[in-house]
Amino acid sequence: MMPMANIWTFIFVLLSALPLRAVGHSDHHTPQNPVDPSEWSQRLTDFRLYGDTQDLEVAKLILRSLSVQDASNEQLYLAAQTAQADHRFVEAIELLDRLLARTPNNDVARLMRANTLVTVGQSETAHLECDLLQKMPMSVVLACRLMSAAEPDAGSLSTLLDKVSAVEANQLPPQLLAWVLAVLGDHALTQNRTGAALGYFKHAYQLDPLASYQITYVEALLRAARCEDALSITAQFHNHLAMRVKHAIATRQCGRPDLSLESRLTTTFDHEVARADFTHGREMAEYHLFVTKNTSLARHILTSSLSFQHTAEDERLWRLAHAE
């Protein structure tokens, strides 16, 4: 177990390195007022809590204002967080490599590197990173292994993690336990154990109200055909792209499509496709698979987006797009 003095740093990493699902952005825009570099950490935290692109844009401006060559260890870590949040995963890995070259025993950076490797589809390499963790609680090590595990190992790992996390629950900060539960929830979804996934995600959000936990909770609700429950959540996130897409899906599932929202999303995504910008590829593919039913366009989008983001959820969408 790591010293309590380092727990806050560890939690900060976990919040920036959640498994499988990156937070969807809204429209990009540049902040009007000068940015304060001291806000960097808080802006990244706020982005993960609320998904407001303004916070990410400020973080990106701060990153552009400094020389990475002369950056401190903390700045390198924040730079990696910023790149990851902006879906620039290769850059995030390069920044983490630089940080680990300076501090090889930095479990915080290594865990984030493992998560980012999973995001780009390099699960085997990520699994090796998990085995190099030295001072993490056992539940965190197991969660790292689970998010990067290949079947059939994942089933036994999930069972073990469930037991260990229950034992360690009272010893872990709420944010840390929430991350472990989210990993269990993601695995349950891949196994079509929707009821179990709902329980994990609901508990995770109760412990730590991150937007990403709500997104995965809504995803589980939609798979369980509980569109009314999904709408009660998505209606609260008017400026969050991933939630707006899920709101459109839920209204279709409930039989009362929001045509105004669909018009705005179609316009946004048409512009992004025209620019060959597939940063929001997962959201775009979901929208065209489940709302417009344009599977050929979804295939085209996924072909491009899978080149830089290749998780279990992206692969599921790919299978659905090619099911016909």
Side-chain angles (χ1 to χ4, degrees):
M1 183 73 67
M2 80 184 79
M4 287 303 296
N6 295 332
I7 282 289
W8 71 270
T9 303
F10 179 52
I11 292 171
F12 189 46
V13 168
L14 292 179
L15 302 188
S16 71
L18 295 175
L20 301 185
R21 293 174 175 80
V23 177
H25 310 166
S26 53
D27 295 334
H28 299 288
H29 57 278
T30 302
Q32 298 298 313
N33 300 319
V35 298
D36 180 355
S38 67
E39 297 180 3
W40 200 357
S41 173
Q42 188 60 51
R43 288 285 188 166
L44 288 169
T45 298
D46 289 346
F47 176 67
R48 296 202 65 80
L49 284 169
Y50 311 114
D52 189 337
T53 306
Q54 178 79 7
D55 290 316
L56 178 57
E57 292 302 318
V58 170
K60 289 163 61 177
L61 283 176
I62 294 171
L63 173 56
R64 289 196 292 269
S65 72
L66 64 86
S67 167
V68 174
Q69 288 295 122
D70 301 324
S72 66
N73 290 347
E74 180 183 4
Q75 288 172 331
L76 277 177
Y77 173 62
L78 292 172
Q81 278 191 301
T82 304
Q84 186 193 53
D86 198 40
H87 294 197
R88 291 179 284 117
F89 303 116
V90 172
E91 181 180 339
I93 292 171
E94 291 172 350
L95 289 163
L96 291 167
D97 286 345
R98 184 172 299 184
L99 180 54
L100 285 166
R102 293 182 184 180
T103 56
N105 297 325
N106 189 332
D107 279 1
V108 171
R110 196 167 298 284
L111 182 63
M112 184 179 176
R113 188 176 192 275
N115 179 84
T116 312
L117 286 167
V118 169
T119 303
V120 298
Q122 298 183 35
S123 295
E124 291 184 7
T125 305
H127 206 70
L128 297 175
E129 292 293 310
C130 300
D131 291 338
L132 293 174
L133 297 173
Q134 298 181 13
K135 299 180 181 179
M136 296 297 181
M138 180 56 66
S139 55
V140 174
V141 175
L142 291 173
C144 182
R145 291 173 178 165
L146 177 61
M147 74 175 180
S148 59
E151 295 294 347
D153 298 337
S156 57
L157 267 174
S158 176
T159 301
L160 179 59
L161 176 58
D162 207 10
K163 294 177 180 178
V164 173
S165 62
V167 172
E168 293 187 347
N170 293 331
Q171 307 168 31
L172 299 176
Q175 295 93 335
L176 182 51
L177 179 58
W179 180 79
V180 171
L181 292 170
V183 173
L184 284 164
D186 281 318
H187 179 257
L189 269 186
T190 65
Q191 301 299 303
N192 296 317
R193 295 187 292 115
T194 309
L198 283 167
Y200 287 129
F201 292 134
K202 182 176 183 179
H203 192 187
Y205 188 76
Q206 290 170 341
L207 291 167
D208 190 20
L210 297 183
S212 55
Y213 295 154
Q214 281 289 62
I215 293 170
T216 45
Y217 184 64
V218 168
E219 173 62 28
L221 288 172
L222 291 172
R223 294 196 202 181
R226 291 171 54 182
C227 60
E228 295 290 355
D229 291 332
L231 286 172
S232 69
I233 297 172
T234 58
Q236 303 173 36
F237 292 83
H238 303 291
N239 298 315
H240 196 296
L241 181 60
M243 281 297 199
R244 287 161 61 201
V245 168
K246 294 202 182 296
H247 188 79
I249 295 170
T251 58
R252 283 275 173 173
Q253 196 178 96
C254 282
R256 49 178 193 277
D258 186 335
L259 298 181
S260 176
L261 172 61
E262 290 181 16
S263 177
R264 295 193 300 273
L265 287 171
T266 297
T267 299
T268 296
F269 291 151
D270 283 350
H271 287 164
E272 294 193 359
V273 170
R275 296 196 308 268
D277 180 359
F278 299 101
T279 304
H280 306 133
R282 181 183 301 163
E283 290 81 13
M284 295 161 70
E286 280 185 317
Y287 178 70
H288 287 300
L289 280 173
F290 304 122
V291 178
T292 71
K293 309 297 184 180
N294 190 339
T295 55
S296 62
L297 181 53
R299 290 185 199 123
H300 169 65
I301 291 166
L302 287 166
T303 298
S304 297
S305 66
L306 281 169
S307 66
F308 64 89
Q309 179 170 311
H310 199 129
T311 68
E313 176 62 10
D314 298 300
E315 290 178 358
R316 183 184 78 92
L317 294 174
W318 174 267
R319 291 193 297 271
L320 289 173
H322 290 78
E324 297 181 351

